[in-house]
Amino acid sequence: MITQTAFDLIFRNARLRSSPLPVDIGVKVGRIAAIEPRLACEAVEVDLEGRLALPGFVDTHIHLDKACILERCGHIHGTLGDAIRAVSAMKRDFTTDDVYARGAKVLERAIVHGTTRMRTHVEIDPRIGLRSFEAIKALKRDYAWAIDLSLCVFPQEGLTNDPGADELLVEALRDGADAIGGCPYTDTDPNAHLARIFDLAQEFDLDVDLHLDFDLDPSWSHLDEVIRQTERRKYGGRVAIGHATKLSAMPPDRLKAATAQLAKAGVAVTVLPATDLYLMGREATHNAPRGLTLAHRLAGNGVVCSVATNNVLNPFTPFGDASLLRMANFYANAAHASVSDFDTCLDLVTELPARLMNLGDYGIAVGKLADLVVLDIRDSRFAVAELPDILMGFKNGRQTFERAPAKLLRPRN
């Protein structure tokens, strides 16, 4: 028995993905100080009874600013262009308080579903100004006790073709944005759009996270330009692309070449199953394409990948509960993942997105932040398949939520 005397909290009998047997986790000043089979110490104890502990789910791509507006739409949901136009019209009337309230609703759902890190994309343009940015900054501050929120500012409706957007984007970057994104397929000059985004990323020393290649026409792509910019600027490991549904439409030889390019350049890929499946292939009369890029296969070939939420209850995705475990399960179903792929599917919402966001303090290891969530399951291989309840969460060693296990109330004889 190893004796320790300086823990604030001990998790007893925790099952880890890296350990075949339960262990104890000692926490001191918000960080993990020890992981051993048995720790002897006078400290507050939480007995996990052999349940699975994870370092929390990581959502690399969500839009808190335009969540929960389904009841305001007043239009028939259809194409990507329809969704962009609908939100463009609505966001002119968004207020800071409105964005805050809707974002908080989704953020709280994400927290109780076990998300401890999140990158939210925030639209910046002359129609919304900086109102959404101010609201999400406030959310970042007010919910820091439960989740680390990173703000990725981006121009949804173009940049070179949208006078005033560039100046607003720079203002947001000067005011503390954590990353910068882009949407070249909505710009009349996509390559200039990308060049400007990379220029700003270098100027402010920020990671790049782009919306890219969001259709099913493999005859053209902006991926080559992204890779060229990444390599020219030595930005490998700091660039991600979201959606990339074109990859799902490529024949095997082209997909193999694109995969090798992505891995070599250090460009990560985020797949957004709910939105990608909802918006792609809608024009088909039968045998509709899925439009879902296979993240687990890309990951198996050296590409850092994640599966994320994207939108919740809006024209882009009229569904959602901000549960990444459910999203991983949804992805695994649609992607025809085999049982042997289930571990990778869990990686796509934990370890891999943490790498995508360069989160050096993530994980259950000595010295890392004591951010943990506890799942009502003992074998991590089946967490994605079984969708167990997420019973409790901790941020910096402080409990942030709890959920009692369900009980069957049998009739009395």
Side-chain angles (χ1 to χ4, degrees):
M1 178 178 291
I2 294 180
T3 302
Q4 298 283 351
T5 58
F7 296 134
D8 303 319
L9 172 68
I10 297 177
F11 295 100
R12 298 286 187 194
N13 302 308
R15 185 84 60 174
L16 305 182
R17 296 181 71 187
S18 59
S19 174
L21 298 174
V23 296
D24 291 349
I25 305 170
V27 177
K28 180 67 176 178
V29 194
R31 290 188 177 269
I32 296 172
I35 301 175
E36 301 288 350
R38 290 181 296 171
L39 291 173
C41 176
E42 292 295 325
V44 175
E45 296 186 2
V46 178
D47 190 353
L48 303 191
E49 300 178 345
R51 294 185 176 94
L52 176 65
L54 295 175
F57 299 109
V58 182
D59 202 330
T60 61
H61 192 127
I62 194 170
H63 295 263
L64 294 177
D65 55 341
K66 55 190 181 190
C68 303
I69 55 174
L70 206 54
E71 75 283 358
R72 307 181 193 182
C73 292
H75 78 290
I76 298 173
H77 305 301
T79 66
L80 172 61
D82 291 335
I84 291 174
R85 285 187 290 274
V87 174
S88 179
M90 281 186 282
K91 71 184 175 185
R92 297 171 187 269
D93 297 323
F94 288 177
T95 66
T96 300
D97 289 345
D98 170 46
V99 173
Y100 183 98
R102 290 184 287 102
K105 180 179 179 181
V106 175
L107 203 56
E108 290 181 8
R109 293 294 300 276
I111 290 167
V112 300
H113 284 310
T115 298
T116 56
R117 315 288 181 103
M118 176 183 285
R119 174 181 286 173
T120 181
H121 290 249
V122 184
E123 293 186 20
I124 304 289
D125 61 40
R127 287 152 295 285
I128 186 60
L130 297 174
R131 297 191 300 278
S132 290
F133 179 66
E134 293 298 332
I136 306 301
K137 275 202 311 177
L139 287 173
K140 176 179 179 176
R141 177 195 67 223
D142 293 348
Y143 284 88
W145 55 272
I147 190 169
D148 291 328
L149 187 59
S150 173
L151 279 64
C152 178
V153 295
F154 83 111
Q156 169 77 75
E157 300 175 50
L159 182 59
T160 69
N161 58 330
D162 196 6
D166 194 295
E167 291 80 2
L168 287 165
L169 195 59
V170 170
E171 188 174 347
L173 295 173
R174 288 174 176 161
D175 196 24
D178 303 293
I180 185 170
C183 198
Y185 54 79
T186 62
D187 203 308
T188 53
D189 192 342
N191 285 356
H193 181 115
L194 288 168
R196 179 58 175 158
I197 295 302
F198 274 91
D199 284 344
L200 290 171
Q202 285 191 301
E203 179 182 346
F204 289 90
D205 191 23
L206 298 175
D207 290 358
V208 174
D209 198 333
L210 303 160
H211 294 64
L212 202 80
D213 287 358
F214 194 14
D215 62 62
L216 298 178
D217 180 0
S219 67
W220 63 273
S221 171
H222 295 135
L223 179 58
D224 286 346
E225 180 63 15
V226 170
I227 289 174
R228 189 184 75 82
Q229 292 281 355
T230 302
E231 291 180 335
R232 182 170 75 83
R233 299 166 190 263
K234 296 180 172 55
Y235 237 57
R238 302 192 67 182
V239 179
I241 58 174
H243 298 294
T245 50
K246 281 184 187 289
L247 294 173
S248 74
M250 288 182 180
D253 57 336
R254 285 191 58 200
L255 178 59
K256 182 178 180 180
T259 301
Q261 283 183 298
L262 288 162
K264 179 176 179 291
V267 174
V269 175
T270 295
V271 172
L272 304 159
T275 304
D276 297 347
L277 286 163
Y278 180 71
L279 289 179
M280 294 296 97
R282 295 185 68 86
E283 70 285 353
T285 59
H286 62 285
N287 200 23
R290 295 174 179 233
L292 186 72
T293 291
L294 300 183
H296 66 289
R297 293 190 182 174
L298 293 179
N301 286 286
V303 181
V304 175
C305 291
S306 67
V307 163
T309 300
N310 197 40
N311 282 291
V312 176
L313 302 175
N314 71 15
F316 295 88
T317 317
F319 315 99
D321 60 359
S323 167
L324 280 178
L325 187 61
R326 184 186 65 81
M327 193 62 71
N329 172 280
F330 181 49
Y331 166 83
N333 272 273
H336 294 154
S338 65
V339 175
S340 62
D341 296 321
F342 286 176
D343 260 333
T344 301
C345 290
L346 186 56
D347 289 339
L348 289 170
V349 292
T350 53
E351 305 293 340
L352 288 172
R355 283 180 58 193
L356 185 153
M357 290 180 61
N358 293 305
L359 301 177
D361 58 0
Y362 178 88
I364 300 181
V366 173
K368 306 293 187 182
L369 289 175
D371 297 351
L372 283 77
V373 294
V374 179
L375 281 62
D376 195 12
I377 194 171
R378 286 161 175 77
D379 191 335
S380 66
R381 294 175 299 169
F382 301 106
V384 167
E386 291 188 30
L387 292 177
D389 287 338
I390 301 170
L391 299 180
M392 62 185 82
F394 295 79
K395 183 80 177 93
N396 299 334
R398 176 191 174 277
Q399 189 165 3
T400 55
F401 72 91
E402 63 181 354
R403 180 184 285 109
K407 292 183 179 180
L408 287 176
L409 302 179
R410 300 183 183 279
R412 296 180 180 178
N413 295 326

